[in-house]
Amino acid sequence: MPSLDLTADPVDLTAALVDIPSVSRDEATIANAVEQALRSQAPHLEVVRNGDAVLARTRLARASRVVLAGHLDTVPINDNLPVRRTGTGAAAVLHGCGTVDMKSGVAVMLHLAATVVEPRHDLTFVFYDCEEIDAAANGLGRIERELPDWLVGDLAVVCEPSNASIEAGCQGTTRIEVRTEGVRAHTARGWMGRNAVHAAGEVLRRLEAYEPRTPEIDGCRFHEGLQAVAISGGVAGNVVPDACVVTINHRFAPDRTPEQAVAHLREVFDGFDVTVVDGAAGALPGLEAPAASELVAAAGGEATAKLGWTDVARFAALGMPAVNFGPGDPTLAHTRQEHVRAADITRCAGVLGDFLR
Amino acid sequence: MPSLDLTADPVDLTAALVDIPSVSRDEATIANAVEQALRSQAPHLEVVRNGDAVLARTRLARASRVVLAGHLDTVPINDNLPVRRTGTGAAAVLHGCGTVDMKSGVAVMLHLAATVVEPRHDLTFVFYDCEEIDAAANGLGRIERELPDWLVGDLAVVCEPSNASIEAGCQGTTRIEVRTEGVRAHTARGWMGRNAVHAAGEVLRRLEAYEPRTPEIDGCRFHEGLQAVAISGGVAGNVVPDACVVTINHRFAPDRTPEQAVAHLREVFDGFDVTVVDGAAGALPGLEAPAASELVAAAGGEATAKLGWTDVARFAALGMPAVNFGPGDPTLAHTRQEHVRAADITRCAGVLGDFLR
């Protein structure tokens, strides 16, 4: 089994984690290494194993508890392992699958787990599996069902990449299908039919004219969006089509519930047949909570809105304020060129260490 | 081999032909029967066999020659054989695969071939194969390549179903793809991309606003059309699409060449990427030609425009006026409910007999 030195520089710990391949559903090796390292190097923590998730926590009876969460799995390796280093010192960079998403965040968490033995808040560390695949397989969902008390706390910090700055809350998402109907006819006598693709022009017109909201919530500016993500229609090369479907993804700020977002879409596409395909609630920033505002202060006082959907929303649904805070540029996640600046890792370990000590 | 009585009532001859199954590429049996019947019952004709096509003609040195053409094949049988009769007398109806498309027309041709032994025009009869499948397999195309002198004449009458009225010329057809491009982005940050599906809205808008021409040519009213027949675009449920393709079928009156039609479409979709997928020329009615105007007079003086594309256009491309004239409602062709009124068959045989005698 690979061994991990949790007290080493988190940059080196990141490199060691990256070199343990852990594509979703193949996390046993990394979970074993994490469990073994926590049991031997963080004896002040209660450790449990759940599937390929590893959970660890203090029981110091502090007034508040902070939950730190990160997933152990990565997307498939794309000819970008083992880890490769370029630059030195503050300009050092780690390249490879998982450097951003999110073994650098996991390294920061493991480092804190082993080195912050007298934290100001009780701490729970959640290292989980299967975040990169179907939501139904997500390890955090399984823990919520099987070990719900392990997710209780006053603030959740999800160490997904956020360019080492606090990203608060997250936007919700919903996908709808807008259908138009027509009447088939031979194109040689097109006027005997009614073209469903032409009718979809009005749907695209409303999309084009749509003015997204950019509400400020708890000092964070969100930015909604409404985008056609697919369109399809057609029967044969000489037939007026009788059906067309436009699939639309709406990203909405967390001041709206999914139900409110869908009601809004039904207004936007009034007169059309609208079917909801899927949806997930957003998460309010919740930065007025004491632990959250302390963390923002430790990070320099700035927080921005998280626009993508992350597991932050799962914690929000449990009633906890939750933020993203982790090393790396999220736009590099899932790319072959994935890489993280060592300085980001050092900063995140420093900010969280200051906040927790 | 089934035997055919060419001097019988063309309604009975239609029934006999329908009961010889002849789905495209399986026309040997019907071609054998047609060839045998012509050789034995129309000794005044020169007969040749070419693949599963049968050709027959007079050599009377008349001042003009009329070519009558019809295909022997049908679309696949759809639980609609053998032939079934309903009604009696003028209200009699034949039901079954090929009754409309086009064994009733073939029966009229065979009847005329055997019974009009002293025609006013020289006559050429072309019974051909594989009209219902790929244009590349079309027997008329093969005859054009291998026996071109058999298609020479002053008027072509294609006995495809036309409700027993003269349909003159035919519209051309072309298919284009109009493409829009965009820039991919995650829908959580949609403003960083450019949505190619939204951009296709302008293409649909122009389609919707399009006013088709309805030119009158040689007294026939044509009716153009411009219809989206397919649309597709989309990458994934959370990605702003970077490409969308609208496939459009344009049916154009025969006063335009395919090149002129495409030039027109490039104007309509100015600013967009237009690719021509396929196209076929239309055919001018050519009703001012003496033989054509005689036929129109024999049919009662009325001619209408053929809007669909038929093999009439092949003859037009050879420089001949060409018309459709045959029994049956073309909208019943290729349906399981295909059926033809006996009265249509009788009328077509009568009009053509009067015209040719």
Side-chain angles (χ1 to χ4, degrees):
Chain A
M1 188 196 312
S3 77
L4 300 170
D5 179 358
L6 306 189
T7 59
D9 183 334
V11 176
D12 296 325
L13 183 52
T14 299
L17 288 164
V18 170
D19 278 344
I20 307 174
S22 59
V23 177
S24 307
R25 299 203 188 279
D26 198 13
E27 302 101 329
T29 304
I30 199 167
N32 290 343
V34 165
E35 180 184 1
Q36 175 61 31
L38 287 169
R39 288 193 190 282
S40 61
Q41 298 169 50
H44 62 292
L45 299 178
E46 176 193 4
V47 175
V48 308
R49 175 75 174 252
N50 175 279
D52 282 334
V54 182
L55 311 173
R57 66 182 168 193
T58 60
R59 284 188 172 280
L60 301 169
R62 298 287 194 259
S64 61
R65 176 175 291 277
V66 175
V67 181
L68 296 102
H71 61 86
L72 297 173
D73 60 321
T74 69
V75 294
I77 296 156
N78 190 0
D79 198 20
N80 53 359
L81 280 189
V83 73
R84 195 165 53 82
R85 288 177 190 246
T86 57
T88 54
V93 175
L94 299 183
H95 305 256
C97 181
T99 47
V100 166
D101 190 10
M102 56 170 283
K103 289 180 174 174
S104 49
V106 168
V108 168
M109 288 168 60
L110 284 169
H111 184 76
L112 297 169
T115 59
V116 183
V117 294
E118 285 288 342
R120 295 172 47 213
H121 307 275
D122 264 309
L123 299 180
T124 303
F125 296 92
V126 180
F127 303 93
Y128 63 104
D129 53 306
C130 290
E131 191 270 350
E132 296 289 6
I133 54 174
D134 285 0
N138 189 300
L140 202 56
R142 188 184 65 245
I143 293 162
E144 194 180 331
R145 291 188 299 273
E146 298 180 6
L147 300 168
D149 67 297
W150 279 82
L151 300 186
V152 173
D154 302 283
L155 171 68
V157 181
V158 177
C159 297
E160 288 269 4
S162 68
N163 284 312
S165 66
I166 302 283
E167 292 184 334
C170 77
Q171 296 203 128
T173 178
T174 188
R175 211 165 358 246
I176 61 169
E177 290 177 349
V178 179
R179 259 159 235 281
T180 56
E181 285 194 5
V183 176
R184 286 191 197 186
H186 197 291
T187 49
R189 293 175 186 78
W191 64 91
M192 296 180 70
R194 206 173 64 244
N195 196 312
V197 171
H198 297 193
E202 173 62 17
V203 177
L204 302 187
R205 192 165 323 184
R206 293 188 195 177
L207 282 165
E208 221 172 32
Y210 187 77
E211 297 277 357
R213 297 191 311 146
T214 57
E216 190 177 299
I217 304 168
D218 285 357
C220 298
R221 176 73 60 190
F222 287 86
H223 195 142
E224 297 193 329
L226 189 65
Q227 297 281 344
V229 292
I231 188 167
S232 72
V235 176
N238 59 358
V239 176
V240 175
D242 59 348
C244 185
V245 182
V246 188
T247 308
I248 296 166
N249 186 204
H250 179 41
R251 301 287 174 141
F252 54 94
D255 59 343
R256 282 186 175 165
T257 65
E259 294 69 28
Q260 289 170 327
V262 166
H264 170 64
L265 294 180
R266 290 195 189 278
E267 278 171 27
V268 171
F269 298 107
D270 185 37
F272 289 94
D273 174 14
V274 172
T275 309
V276 178
V277 180
D278 62 20
L284 288 163
L287 295 181
E288 72 290 350
S293 57
E294 275 175 39
L295 173 56
V296 172
E302 289 286 323
T304 60
K306 183 74 176 180
L307 301 174
W309 195 92
T310 77
D311 275 332
V312 155
R314 291 180 185 269
F315 288 103
L318 295 173
M320 299 162 68
V323 299
N324 278 279
F325 181 66
D329 177 351
T331 68
L332 293 172
H334 304 193
T335 71
R336 192 177 168 197
Q337 294 73 35
E338 188 173 351
H339 60 267
V340 66
R341 295 186 309 145
D344 265 23
I345 302 172
T346 304
R347 168 171 155 80
C348 286
V351 167
L352 285 172
D354 290 349
F355 163 58
L356 297 174
R357 277 187 190 99
Chain B
M1 187 197 311
S3 77
L4 300 169
D5 179 359
L6 306 190
T7 59
D9 183 333
V11 176
D12 296 326
L13 183 52
T14 299
L17 289 164
V18 170
D19 278 345
I20 307 173
S22 58
V23 177
S24 306
R25 299 202 188 279
D26 198 12
E27 302 101 331
T29 303
I30 199 168
N32 290 344
V34 165
E35 180 184 2
Q36 174 61 33
L38 287 169
R39 289 196 191 280
S40 60
Q41 298 169 51
H44 62 291
L45 298 177
E46 175 192 5
V47 176
V48 308
R49 175 74 174 251
N50 175 279
D52 282 333
V54 182
L55 311 172
R57 66 181 167 192
T58 59
R59 284 189 172 281
L60 301 170
R62 298 289 193 259
S64 60
R65 176 174 290 277
V66 175
V67 180
L68 295 103
H71 61 85
L72 297 173
D73 62 321
T74 69
V75 294
I77 297 157
N78 189 0
D79 199 20
N80 53 0
L81 281 190
V83 73
R84 195 164 53 82
R85 289 178 189 246
T86 57
T88 53
V93 175
L94 299 183
H95 304 257
C97 181
T99 47
V100 166
D101 191 10
M102 57 170 284
K103 288 180 175 174
S104 48
V106 168
V108 168
M109 289 168 60
L110 285 169
H111 184 75
L112 297 170
T115 59
V116 183
V117 295
E118 285 289 340
R120 293 172 49 212
H121 307 276
D122 264 310
L123 299 180
T124 302
F125 296 92
V126 180
F127 303 94
Y128 63 103
D129 53 305
C130 289
E131 191 270 349
E132 295 290 5
I133 53 174
D134 285 0
N138 189 301
L140 202 55
R142 188 184 65 244
I143 293 163
E144 194 180 332
R145 292 189 298 274
E146 298 180 6
L147 300 169
D149 66 298
W150 280 82
L151 300 185
V152 173
D154 302 282
L155 171 68
V157 181
V158 176
C159 298
E160 289 268 5
S162 68
N163 284 312
S165 65
I166 302 283
E167 292 184 334
C170 78
Q171 295 204 129
T173 179
T174 188
R175 212 165 358 247
I176 61 169
E177 290 177 351
V178 179
R179 258 159 236 281
T180 56
E181 285 193 5
V183 176
R184 285 191 199 187
H186 197 291
T187 49
R189 294 174 186 78
W191 65 91
M192 296 180 71
R194 206 172 64 242
N195 196 312
V197 172
H198 296 192
E202 173 62 17
V203 177
L204 302 187
R205 191 165 324 183
R206 293 188 194 177
L207 282 166
E208 222 172 31
Y210 187 78
E211 297 276 357
R213 298 190 311 145
T214 57
E216 190 178 299
I217 305 169
D218 286 357
C220 297
R221 176 73 61 190
F222 287 86
H223 195 141
E224 297 193 329
L226 189 64
Q227 297 281 344
V229 292
I231 187 165
S232 71
V235 176
N238 59 357
V239 176
V240 176
D242 59 348
C244 186
V245 182
V246 188
T247 308
I248 296 166
N249 185 204
H250 179 40
R251 301 287 175 139
F252 54 94
D255 58 343
R256 283 186 174 163
T257 64
E259 294 70 28
Q260 289 170 327
V262 166
H264 170 64
L265 294 180
R266 290 196 190 279
E267 279 171 26
V268 171
F269 298 107
D270 185 38
F272 289 94
D273 173 14
V274 172
T275 308
V276 178
V277 180
D278 63 20
L284 287 164
L287 296 180
E288 73 288 352
S293 56
E294 276 175 39
L295 174 56
V296 172
E302 290 286 324
T304 59
K306 182 75 177 179
L307 301 174
W309 194 92
T310 77
D311 275 332
V312 155
R314 291 181 185 268
F315 289 102
L318 295 173
M320 298 162 69
V323 299
N324 278 279
F325 182 65
D329 178 350
T331 67
L332 292 172
H334 304 195
T335 70
R336 193 177 167 196
Q337 294 73 35
E338 188 173 350
H339 60 268
V340 66
R341 295 185 310 144
D344 265 23
I345 302 173
T346 304
R347 169 172 155 79
C348 287
V351 166
L352 286 172
D354 291 348
F355 163 59
L356 297 174
R357 277 188 189 101

